[in-house]
Amino acid sequence: MLLRIVAAAAVLGAALTLTGCQGTTTAAPTPVQSTDLTSSDGGFDQHAVVGVVLLHAAATPGTTSGGVALSDRLHDDLTAAGFRPDVRVAGASDPATDQRTALRALVRAGAKAILVEAADPSALTGEIQVAHDAGVVIVALGDPLPASGTGGDGVSADYRVQGMDSDAATAARATAVVESLQRGEKPTGD
C-alpha cells in the first residue's frame, strides 16, 4: 500500500512539474502594469527602450523640418528625455512588411512604448495585438490606427499624436506623451 502511495505521489508531482513548465506562446517581455487594468498605459523605467516605426519619408528632412529628418529628431528628443530610442524606418519598396517586422523586433527587444507612423494601418493589426499582449503601449503618429477585432475595444493604438505644423512639434509632442506614459499617467490632449 505504501508503495502505491509513493508511486501515485511521484506521478502527480511529475504531472504538476510538466504543467508548470508551459511558457508563453510569444517571445514577448513581461507586460507593463496597467493602472486601469484594461489596457497598457505606462509606468515603466525612465531609461526604457522606446521604439519608433516610421515611413521612408521620415528619414529625409522635409520642408518643415529645419534640415533635420523626423527620425533623427525623435531619436534626439527621446534620448534627451532619458529613454533609449530604437528608431526603425521602413523601406520604400514594401513599407507594410518592413513595419510588421520592426514591430515584432521591438516587442522582442523589450520596448515599453512604440510610436508608429503606419504605411497601412490594417496590415499592423496582428503585430499591435502582440504588442498589447506584451504590455507595450502603442502611440499612433499622424493618422490613427483603426480599431478592429472582436473583443473589448478592438486592436488600435492606445494613444495618438496628431500631425503638427512641423517635425519639431511632432517630435516634442510624441516625447511628452512617452514621458507621461513613463510616469504612469494618461497623456492629455490627443
Side-chain angles (χ1 to χ4, degrees):
M1 179 73 168
L2 182 61
L3 187 58
R4 281 191 224 171
I5 293 173
V6 171
V11 169
L12 181 59
L16 290 174
T17 300
L18 289 176
T19 302
C21 289
Q22 294 176 1
T24 59
T25 58
T26 63
T30 303
V32 174
Q33 178 64 44
S34 171
T35 57
D36 64 6
L37 302 178
T38 60
S39 63
S40 303
D41 62 358
F44 47 84
D45 182 63
Q46 182 176 4
H47 304 290
V49 173
V50 175
V52 180
V53 179
L54 299 170
L55 297 173
H56 180 71
T60 305
T63 57
T64 64
S65 69
V68 180
L70 179 59
S71 57
D72 295 333
R73 193 172 300 276
L74 281 165
H75 181 274
D76 294 347
D77 285 6
L78 290 167
T79 299
F83 299 106
R84 292 182 300 142
D86 186 344
V87 179
R88 309 215 179 184
V89 178
S93 63
D94 191 3
T97 298
D98 291 349
Q99 288 187 327
R100 283 193 305 271
T101 301
L103 275 165
R104 283 191 303 268
L106 289 166
V107 169
R108 281 192 305 275
K112 298 300 182 187
I114 302 176
L115 306 169
V116 180
E117 178 188 37
D120 179 4
S122 63
L124 301 178
T125 301
E127 284 68 26
I128 292 171
Q129 182 64 58
V130 168
H132 281 165
D133 290 347
V136 179
V137 182
I138 302 294
V139 179
L141 293 177
D143 294 332
L145 298 173
S148 63
T150 58
D153 61 349
V155 178
S156 66
D158 297 297
Y159 301 99
R160 178 177 174 217
V161 174
Q162 295 182 12
M164 304 287 182
D165 293 339
S166 69
D167 288 350
T170 299
R173 178 71 180 120
T175 300
V177 166
V178 174
E179 288 174 321
S180 289
L181 292 169
Q182 180 272 320
R183 292 187 302 267
E185 301 168 353
K186 188 172 186 174
T188 58
D190 302 330

